[in-house]
Amino acid sequence: METDETPRVLPFQLQFDKPVASQIKIAEWNPEKDLLAMVTEDSKILLHRFNWQRLWTIFPGRCITSLCWRPDGKAIAVGLEDGTISLHDVENGKLLRSLKSHTVAVVSLNWEEDGQVIKDDSVNNSTYEDRTSRFFPPAPRVPRMPGLAPGDTGFMDDSDDSFRELSNSSYQRFNILCSGDKDGSICFSIFGIFPIGKINIHNLSIPTPYATEPATCRLSHASISKIALSKDLCHLIGMCSGELNHDEVESAERQLGVHGCHCLLLDTSIFWKRKNELHQVAQQASNIEDLIEVIRSSLSVMSKQWSDAMHTFREKFDSLSSLIIDHGLDSSPQEEFLSLLGGARTSPPVHQFLVNSLGESGVKRVSKVVCGAGKELQHVVLDHLQPAAEIIGFRMGELRGPSRWRTRFQGIGLDETLINNATEKSGILLVQVERFMRVLSSVVQQFSNFFNWLLKCIKLLNQEPSDQLLPYNSELVVIFLKFLYDQDPVKPFLELSEVDIEPDMETLQRVKELVHFGGFSDCDFLRRTLAEEFKQMESSFKEAFLMPFTTISRKMLCKDVLPLFALPSSSASVSVSVPISVTYYKDASTSVSSYQTHEHGFIDYISFQIPGDSSSNIANCIGISRRFMHSLSNSSIEESASLEAVLLSVPDGYHCVDLSLYKEGQIVLLLNETTSASECSGESCMMIVQADDLPFVSIPRSGCINTWNLDQLKDSVMHLRLENEKVRNIPHSVVAPLAVSGKNEEQTSAHVGFGSFH
C-alpha cells in the first residue's frame, strides 16, 4: 500500500495470476534459485520459475503429504502417504533415491545444513577428507537392468549424472534431513540418504524443569504437525497435537491431561558435537550403500542374462531326449554324444537331431547366445561388480582406524568388532569374485569347445568340408558331457541357493591355515557362492551401521515442552490444521565468537493461529513466541523466563488463512475478507509485520502442565491495522498455502506464492 507522503518500496509486487488445473496444497521456494515447487491436490509436483515458466511436472503415483528443498537447492525431498521419502533432481525431476523411513504418512520435512563457518583451523582439526579418489577411478554406475524402467529400483538410470552428484557427499556441507509422520515418529538422515536416528514422541519422558519437585510428563495420541531443526543443528522444535499427562497421574485420572497443540524441544546437540565424525561415517556408509546397489544390480543383470542363455540351450537340446525315447532307446543324450565322439556309428536320433532339428545354423545361434552371455557377464564383473567391491573394501578400511579411536568414535556407535567383520566380508567378496571369474571362463570355454565339435560333426554328416572350423579338444568334450551338459556351475554363484559348494579337503585345510595366519575368522567361505557372500557382506554392513543409528537415537532427549493452545479431545489425535510456522533467525546481538560456540546463535520464532474455539476472549488472534529453545539455558531465575510471546489481533472483517516467516524476523500474513454473502467471494490482502517492532511480553514458566495463559497477554495485544502495515490488496479470495522466499537479506521484497480462487 502506498502512502501520500514519501514513496516507499512495496514489500512484494503482484505479477499476475497463474491458473492451474488443480488446487495447490503445498508450495516451497527453492532456497538458492527463483524456483517454486508446488504440489497439487491430485498429487502432481510442478516446478515453476518466478516468471511462471514451467520446468517440469512429475507424478509419483502416490499421495504427497510434505515437501522441502535441500539447502543447496539442487534436490527436493517429497514425503508420501505410505511413509516413503523420495529425493528428486531439481534439473529434471528424476528420482534420485527412495527411502522408507516411516510406516505412515510423512507430514513434515525439514532439511538443514551446518551453518557454522569456522576460520580457525585449530578448532576444526577433525575435518575429514575423502581419499578414495586418490586411489580409484570414479565409482561404477548401476548397470542397466534389461526391461526395467529407470527409477524402478529406487535409483536413477545410469545415463544421468545427477545421481552421482547426490551420492558424492565429500563435496557437500554436513546436512540433516528430518522427517515427521502422523504417528509421532521423527527420523533423521545425513545427506538425506544415510539414516542416523529415530525417535517417537510417545516414548519420550518430558521433564518439567520449573516444577518444585522433579517431575516428568508424556504425550499420548500425538501426531506431528511441524518440525524444524535449528541452524546450528543443536535443537529441534516439533509441533504436535495430543494429550499431555503427568507420569505420576494414574490412568483413571488421565482425563485431567491437556488436549491441545504443544511444542517439544529436543536436544540434538550430538549432531553439532560430533559432526566431523558423523560426516566421515555417513560419507563412507552412503557411498558403500550406493556400491552395494551396484553389486546387487550387477548380480541381477548377470543372473538374468545367464538364465536366458541356458534357457535357449535347454530349449534346443532337450528335444534330443524326446527323439531317443521315440526311437525306443534307453541311452541318455550324453551317452549318444560320447558314442559319436568315440567313432561309433551315429544313432538315428542323434543323426536326426544334428541334421534336422538343430542344424548348422542352430548350433551357431546357440553358441552365439551362450558364449555372448558369458562375455557380457565378464564385462559386468570387470566394469561394475569388481570395481564396486574393491572400493567397498577400501572404504571399510578407512573406517577401521576411526573405529579404534574410542574417545571420538565410540560415542557415535562405531563398533570396532562390527567394522572388522564387515571389512573381512568385503575382502572375501573380492575372493569370490575372482573365483567366479575362473569358473565362468572355464564354463564358457567348455561350451565353445562343445559347439565347435558339434559343428564339425554336422559338416561330416552332411559331407561338407570342415577345414574352416575352429579345432576342438576331445578331452574337453568328454569333460563337458560328463559334468556340464546337465549341470550349470555358473547359476548357483549368481542366485541365492541352499546348495553349498563342497571343496576338497586339501584345499580347505590350506585355506584354514592361510585364514588363521592372516588374522581372519571365516574359514567357510569356500562353501559359499558369490550371491551368498554378497548377502552376508550386506548383512554385516547393516549390522555395523545400525550401531550409530541406535546410539544417536538414544542421545536425542526431550528438554522441554510448551503447551500452546487447547483443542477438543476429539481432535487431539488429528494433526493440527491451523496455520503454524517454526523458523530460526540469526541473533544479530550475538558476537562471532559466541556463534562459534553455538550458544544462542539463533532465535526461534513459533507462530500459530489461535483456533476460534480455544478462547472467546482472544478470538481471531495470532500467537507468536520466541526464545523457546533458550528458556532453559540461563542459570538465574530472573533470566530463565526468557520465553517471550505476543498476540496479534487480525483486523476486523478479516481472518487469517496462512502465515509464514522469512528473512530476519518478518512475518507475512495472508488474510481473507470475512463475508456472509455466498455469491461473493470477497477480497484478500497480504501483510508484512516486523517481529522486532512487536511488543513481546515475558512469559513465566511453571511446572504445571497447563496451557500458558493466553489471557494474560490480552492487555498487550497488538491490533493490526491495514493502514499502518505493509499491505498489498488482492482482488479475490485466497487459500493456503503461502510460500515466501527472501534469499537476499538486503532486499525489501518477498517472493510470495499462494493458492487462490475467484
Side-chain angles (χ1 to χ4, degrees), residues 279-477:
H279 191 154
Q280 177 176 353
V281 173
Q283 179 176 295
Q284 301 292 10
S286 58
N287 278 277
I288 286 173
E289 184 180 346
D290 298 339
L291 295 168
I292 284 178
E293 184 65 24
V294 172
I295 296 178
R296 179 185 293 108
S297 298
S298 298
L299 291 174
S300 298
V301 170
M302 294 161 64
S303 178
K304 184 179 187 307
Q305 289 181 332
W306 189 253
S307 297
D308 291 345
M310 289 298 97
H311 176 74
T312 301
F313 176 78
R314 302 298 176 200
E315 191 178 37
K316 284 292 183 182
F317 281 80
D318 282 352
S319 61
L320 178 58
S321 300
S322 301
L323 290 175
I324 293 174
I325 296 173
D326 292 342
H327 283 79
L329 302 179
D330 295 330
S331 57
S332 65
Q334 294 96 315
E335 292 172 342
E336 292 294 328
F337 279 135
L338 286 173
S339 176
L340 176 63
L341 180 65
R345 186 173 59 86
T346 306
S347 62
V350 171
H351 188 281
Q352 181 179 347
F353 172 73
L354 293 178
V355 175
N356 300 327
S357 299
L358 186 60
E360 184 178 341
S361 61
V363 172
K364 291 181 178 179
R365 184 166 58 252
V366 176
S367 176
K368 182 179 180 180
V369 170
V370 174
C371 297
K375 292 180 180 179
E376 287 297 322
L377 262 62
Q378 291 174 337
H379 286 311
V380 172
V381 171
L382 296 176
D383 296 340
H384 299 275
L385 196 154
Q386 187 171 353
E390 290 174 349
I391 298 177
I392 285 177
F394 179 82
R395 290 192 175 278
M396 289 308 303
E398 290 286 271
L399 287 177
R400 289 190 72 183
S403 69
R404 297 176 180 178
W405 192 357
R406 293 177 176 84
T407 55
R408 294 200 67 86
F409 284 89
Q410 270 198 348
I412 63 170
L414 203 61
D415 185 86
E416 181 180 357
T417 302
L418 296 178
I419 293 296
N420 287 342
N421 180 53
T423 306
E424 180 177 339
K425 295 298 184 185
S426 64
I428 294 177
L429 178 66
L430 278 172
V431 174
Q432 298 287 39
V433 169
E434 192 272 338
R435 181 184 180 193
F436 169 77
M437 288 294 283
R438 291 202 311 268
V439 172
L440 176 63
S441 177
S442 174
V443 169
V444 172
Q445 181 186 7
Q446 294 277 30
F447 267 106
S448 178
N449 184 75
F450 174 68
F451 291 135
N452 289 337
W453 171 67
L454 286 185
L455 274 176
K456 190 158 274 189
C457 291
I458 293 174
K459 292 282 188 180
L460 292 175
L461 292 175
N462 291 331
Q463 300 298 319
E464 297 178 7
S466 58
D467 295 338
Q468 70 273 21
L469 296 178
L470 294 174
Y472 67 91
N473 187 314
S474 299
E475 294 181 3
L476 293 181
V477 174

Side-chain angles (χ1 to χ4, degrees), residues 65-66 79-80 83 85 102 104-110 177-188 199 223-227 236:
T65 51
S66 53
L80 303 177
I85 300 175
H102 302 266
V104 294
V106 181
V107 295
S108 181
L109 289 168
N110 179 233
L177 174 63
C178 312
S179 56
D181 64 34
K182 66 177 184 180
D183 279 355
S185 293
I186 302 175
C187 296
F188 304 83
I199 59 173
S223 174
I224 298 293
S225 303
K226 193 85 171 180
I227 56 175
L236 181 135

Side-chain angles (χ1 to χ4, degrees), residues 111-135:
W111 207 335
E112 290 292 342
E113 73 177 6
D114 175 26
Q116 186 175 13
V117 180
I118 300 179
K119 297 181 179 179
D120 184 4
D121 292 337
S122 63
V123 181
N124 204 25
N125 55 9
S126 298
T127 301
Y128 174 73
E129 177 189 1
D130 186 11
R131 306 188 304 161
T132 310
S133 59
R134 298 184 186 179
F135 304 98

